Amino acid sequence: MPTKTYHIGVEATMEIIGGKWKSIILCHLRHHTMRTGELARAIPQISQKMLTQQLRELEAANIVSRHVYKQVPPRVDYSLTDYGKSLSGILHELCLWGEDNIDRRQAAGEDISLMSRDDVI
Amino acid sequence: MPTKTYHIGVEATMEIIGGKWKSIILCHLRHHTMRTGELARAIPQISQKMLTQQLRELEAANIVSRHVYKQVPPRVDYSLTDYGKSLSGILHELCLWGEDNIDRRQAAGEDISLMSRDDVI
DNA sequence: ACAAGAAGTCACTTTAAAGTGCGCTACCCA
DNA sequence: TGGGTAGCGCACTTTAAAGTGACTTCTTGT
C-alpha cells in the first residue's frame, strides 16, 4: 500500500472520531463503562449494526476496549482505553460547544431542541 | 418542518465541523484571513467545488465570514467570525491530538506520514 | 486578437456511509 | 415446546457526500 499521507493533524483525528456516530458513542463512554444494550438505549436512533460496526472501528484504533464475559446470554461491555481517555477533554468541549450552539440557534428562532443535557455527570 | 431534535451536544457540533473538509478549512483559517486560492493551495487535495461549497455552509452557520472585493479578477477572502473563533481552542486540540496519533501509529510501524506540521504558527 | 487569471456555478457521476432485515446461539423459565 | 434475551454476523439496498469537467466574467498583459 502506498504511504498514507496526512496534511494536517486534524485530518487524522477526524478519521477516528468523525462520522455520524463515533463521537456520540465516545461521549457516552466518557462517563462509564457501558454494555452494548445500554449504549443502544442511550443512542436510540442508532441501529444495532452501526453500533457494533462503529465500536469495532474504535476498538481497532485503540480508543475503546471490549470485554466479553463468557456467559449466555452474552454480556459484553465497552470502555475507553487509557489512550481513549486522552480524548475525553476534547469530547467534553465538543459537547459543551454543541449545547451552546443549540441554545443560540433556539434563541434565533430555529425549530430545534436538545433532549438530554446529562452529558456532564 | 418538524422540530429537529438533538440528543447530545456533540451531535450539533459535528453537524457543523464534521465531514471531510470543514475542520481542515477551519484549522487553516484559525491563523489568518485567507483568500480562496490560498486555501486551495493549503489544501491541495480539495476541489474548487468542495472548497466553495464547504465555505458556504460554514458561512451559513456563522462560523466564517466572506469578504468580496469589488474588482476583476475577483478577490474574495474568508476569516473566522467572532463566533467561529470560539472553536479555535477545540480546533487546536484536534490538530495536536491528531499529530500525536500519527506519531504513535508511525512508531507502531504504520506506513503513514504527516506533511506539514505548521498548524501552530 | 487572444490567453491567462480568480472565483464560482451547473449538471452529472462515483463512492462511501449508513440503514434494513434476517438468522444464529444457548440458556432460562413458564 | 417454545418464547424471551443479548450480542453479533451477513447480504443487500438506500442515501448522502464527494468528485469531475466544462463554462462564465471582466481585466490585464502580449
Side-chain angles (χ1 to χ4, degrees):
Chain A
M1 320 292 122
T3 301
K4 162 139 206 184
T5 301
Y6 296 96
H7 296 259
I8 191 171
V10 71
E11 236 180 311
T13 307
M14 282 300 159
E15 215 170 84
I16 291 175
I17 68 166
K20 190 167 175 181
W21 301 114
K22 298 223 182 76
S23 57
I24 299 178
I25 292 172
L26 292 175
C27 276
H28 285 288
L29 288 180
R30 237 165 58 74
H31 306 117
H32 30 67
T33 293
M34 289 174 89
R35 300 188 52 174
T36 314
E38 250 182 306
L39 275 169
R41 262 171 274 117
I43 312 173
Q45 332 89 306
I46 202 173
S47 68
Q48 173 68 51
K49 177 205 156 189
M50 276 298 121
L51 181 56
T52 31
Q53 181 182 303
Q54 304 297 303
L55 283 165
R56 285 304 124 82
E57 291 176 21
L58 290 168
E59 201 191 354
N62 189 34
I63 304 295
V64 312
S65 62
R66 176 168 187 262
H67 305 269
V68 184
Y69 299 79
K70 214 179 167 308
Q71 62 183 53
V72 168
R75 175 193 179 94
V76 179
D77 62 35
Y78 297 92
S79 54
L80 292 187
T81 60
D82 283 342
Y83 183 45
K85 285 177 190 151
S86 70
L87 276 170
S88 194
I90 292 179
L91 290 167
H92 186 216
E93 288 178 67
L94 290 171
C95 272
L96 293 180
W97 194 90
E99 290 172 14
D100 177 70
N101 177 261
I102 292 170
D103 288 345
R104 286 166 176 261
R105 289 160 62 191
Q106 280 172 342
E110 268 187 69
D111 186 18
I112 61 176
S113 69
L114 173 57
M115 297 268 78
S116 68
R117 201 170 292 241
D118 55 11
D119 149 58
V120 187
I121 290 190
Chain B
M1 333 278 130
T3 300
K4 162 137 209 187
T5 301
Y6 296 97
H7 297 260
I8 191 171
V10 72
E11 235 180 311
T13 308
M14 282 301 161
E15 216 169 84
I16 291 176
I17 67 165
K20 190 168 176 181
W21 302 113
K22 297 221 181 78
S23 57
I24 299 178
I25 292 172
L26 292 174
C27 277
H28 285 288
L29 288 180
R30 236 165 61 72
H31 307 117
H32 31 65
T33 293
M34 288 176 90
R35 300 189 52 174
T36 313
E38 250 182 305
L39 275 168
R41 262 170 274 119
I43 312 173
Q45 333 89 309
I46 203 173
S47 67
Q48 170 72 48
K49 178 205 156 188
M50 277 297 121
L51 181 56
T52 34
Q53 181 181 304
Q54 304 296 305
L55 284 165
R56 285 302 125 81
E57 291 175 21
L58 290 168
E59 199 190 356
N62 188 33
I63 303 295
V64 311
S65 61
R66 177 168 186 262
H67 305 268
V68 185
Y69 299 78
K70 213 178 169 307
Q71 63 184 53
V72 168
R75 176 194 179 93
V76 178
D77 63 33
Y78 298 90
S79 53
L80 292 188
T81 59
D82 284 343
Y83 183 45
K85 286 178 188 149
S86 70
L87 276 170
S88 194
I90 292 179
L91 290 167
H92 187 216
E93 288 179 67
L94 290 171
C95 274
L96 293 179
W97 194 92
E99 289 172 14
D100 177 70
N101 177 262
I102 292 170
D103 288 345
R104 286 167 174 260
R105 290 160 62 191
Q106 281 172 342
E110 269 186 68
D111 185 18
I112 60 177
S113 69
L114 172 57
M115 296 269 78
S116 68
R117 203 170 291 242
D118 53 12
D119 150 58
V120 185
I121 290 191

